[in-house]
Amino acid sequence: MHIDLKNQSLKGVMLNAYPDSIGQKWSDTLSMLERPEFKDVFSLFYVLPTFFNSDLDRGFSIVDYNINNDLVSKEDLKALDKLNIKLKFDIVLNHLSVASPQFKDVLEKGEQSKFKDFFINWNEFWSNHGELNKDGIVIPKTEHLNKLFMRKSGLPILKVLFPDGSERPYWNTFYQDIKYHPITIDDLKVVPQLKPQDAKIICAKINLAIDSSQDFSTIDFGDSDCSKNEIISVVNKKRTYLGQMDVNAKSPLVWDFYEETLAKLKGFGCQILRLDAFAYLHKEVGQSNFFNTPGTWEYLERIKQIAIKYNLMLLPEIHAEYGSGLHDEVSKKGYHIYDFFLPGLLIHTLESSNNKAILKWANEIVTKGYKTVNMLGCHDGIPVLDLKGKEVNGKYNKGLLEDNEIETIMNTIIERGGRVKNLYGPSGKKISYYQVNATFFSALGENEDKLLLARAIQMFMPGIPQVWYLDLFAGKNNYQAADDAGEGGHKEINRTTLSIKDINKSIKDDIVINQLKIIRLRNTSKAFLGDIIIKKSFENEIHIIWTNNEHTAELKANLQTYIFSVSFSEEGRTKTISFS
């Protein structure tokens, strides 16, 4: 089967990192790529969105799409261009930061803001489709609520204060944080008939409540209790927010913003555009808030038309069960798809010494002509949900693995120190594991032979291989970083910043040198522009050949011993990679 990778700039291997994953600024990573050890290793760089101005979720809460001058410079873009490395960026379609100019305008001007409908007022969205509760929040009717796909416990809302003193709930699918700041006696001067001695006592009580996260409504203000509402209003006016606010894609201003953003990213040198959280964008009463149809397809087509204008390749990011067939639907619409199945399949393959599941998937990619981007580790976790089967229209479609096999993968990674991310139902109850957070090296039991074979298999899989910087250096789980990040900090286990000293030391390690050899072959050999042959073999072996006229590349691997060979031929000469 011929895999269409004729676009040379998109055929190579992609590095994946934050601007400050190595050293202190992006320039430190670029200096690493200029070293002779990295010559011809990468053709693409997926730089994560702290490249832009952001404030939460390690870049995925965008303030604006301007360069983050603390980490990146225009000179860096010139340096990358000299290396002939093309860029992949994110556009976070579903949400923007509370600190974005658009949402700040809403907070400042309220009903008079031109961006009032840029975001989704929860109560207005559910008007006539639910009941207002005692807290002033519309609770959707049960038939609607049960269709919502939750990324956190509780309703997906953030209540914000408008200039008129009212609180408005806005749709907030992902992260949020509300901070209350200490008040002073001067702050309370706006409360009528409040005596200075009472103001001092109230200040102490309020600030103690802030420190202990106490509900302000439960505070006894004594003789001043009749002014409780005014006092709490003062407290609320000093609170600040962090949050990813869902945008209202029914607003023309949102599409104007998308157009401006794609033009800006193209100007930075973007070639591939990852559509983050796009499946949550289309919202309609009576439908799920995750990949409802046909609305999601219609929005995706609108984005596609803008991307065509700027010659950008789109990569929709979506996690869904294999059994749902959603990956197949996205591919049939002409899009590249993320191969979120490969990480879990590789762990299963290496732990069970069985090739059945991974070869089934590899053959499906080939026979169906999927255009994929694959990886071992990434800035997120190791997907688990994606491997499962699912019932669709009364028929159960099997997963790539059985549920007990998925459970084994998950338990194995957790036993080796992984942390868990869950999904929630409308009631706030956990309904499913989503992914397990760990470095890929630690998930494999910190076995260098397994990691190197996993890398070799990845490089011979069809698709664009993406390499997480920490995997390249055999990074281990960083428990301290995960603990220090507090609740929701599980992802930091796999985001350790490597110093220049770390790089200088690790670059001499066999596991790094050997990975670079395999990656360089994948990045430079013309064999990978041709046909892939997945050979029949014993269940504990893998044998893959790529051919393109006189150019060939061949992988033979034993899944029990982790011993493998990589050979290649160019212009009639056959060579074998020698591993340290």
Side-chain angles (χ1 to χ4, degrees), residues 142-185:
T142 303
E143 63 264 32
H144 300 319
L145 192 60
N146 287 341
K147 291 180 179 178
L148 295 184
F149 187 76
M150 303 295 194
R151 292 298 301 263
K152 59 188 178 186
S153 59
L155 291 175
I157 59 172
L158 176 66
K159 291 176 73 174
V160 298
L161 193 67
F162 262 42
D164 62 3
S166 63
E167 287 194 310
R168 311 289 178 96
Y170 274 82
W171 203 312
N172 166 242
T173 296
F174 293 88
Y175 292 94
Q176 63 169 257
D177 187 26
I178 302 173
K179 290 189 182 298
Y180 288 90
H181 301 277
I183 65 168
T184 66
I185 294 173

Side-chain angles (χ1 to χ4, degrees), residues 6 35 73 105 125-126 132 175 228 239 280 363 399-400 403 428 431 449 462 514 531 543 552 568:
K6 291 300 184 185
R35 296 175 62 143
S73 72
D105 195 79
F125 183 91
W126 293 108
L132 196 69
Y175 292 94
K228 178 176 282 190
R239 74 187 180 196
Y280 295 89
N363 279 301
L400 284 167
D403 286 353
I431 58 173
D449 291 337
N514 291 334
D531 300 322
H543 187 187
T552 65
F568 61 98

Side-chain angles (χ1 to χ4, degrees), residues 430-497:
K430 187 192 87 172
I431 58 173
S432 176
Y433 290 112
Y434 176 44
Q435 50 187 217
V436 187
N437 293 93
T439 72
F440 206 79
F441 184 50
S442 290
L444 292 174
E446 297 177 4
N447 182 313
E448 291 187 0
D449 291 337
K450 288 182 184 178
L451 179 61
L452 189 60
L453 178 51
R455 179 68 69 207
I457 294 172
Q458 182 205 8
M459 290 299 126
F460 273 77
M461 286 288 287
I464 300 171
Q466 180 175 290
V467 177
W468 182 235
Y469 76 100
L470 202 54
D471 293 344
L472 182 60
F473 294 98
K476 299 178 181 180
N477 286 344
N478 190 334
Y479 305 109
Q480 188 65 53
D483 292 341
D484 290 347
E487 184 179 357
H490 49 277
K491 294 181 181 180
E492 297 306 313
I493 200 170
N494 185 32
R495 297 175 174 178
T496 303
T497 298

Side-chain angles (χ1 to χ4, degrees), residues 70-105:
D70 291 336
L71 300 178
V72 181
S73 72
K74 291 183 178 179
E75 293 304 312
D76 295 336
L77 292 172
K78 294 177 183 177
L80 193 72
D81 189 57
K82 286 182 180 178
L83 290 168
N84 198 29
I85 294 176
K86 307 302 180 184
L87 279 166
K88 170 185 164 188
F89 285 128
D90 283 280
I91 179 171
V92 186
L93 289 176
N94 180 69
H95 46 264
L96 275 176
S97 168
V98 165
S100 65
Q102 295 89 340
F103 202 80
K104 286 173 72 174
D105 195 79

Side-chain angles (χ1 to χ4, degrees), residues 25 74 206 212 260 279 470 520:
K25 296 186 176 185
K74 291 183 178 179
I206 288 289
S212 60
E260 294 164 7
L470 202 54
R520 183 178 291 108

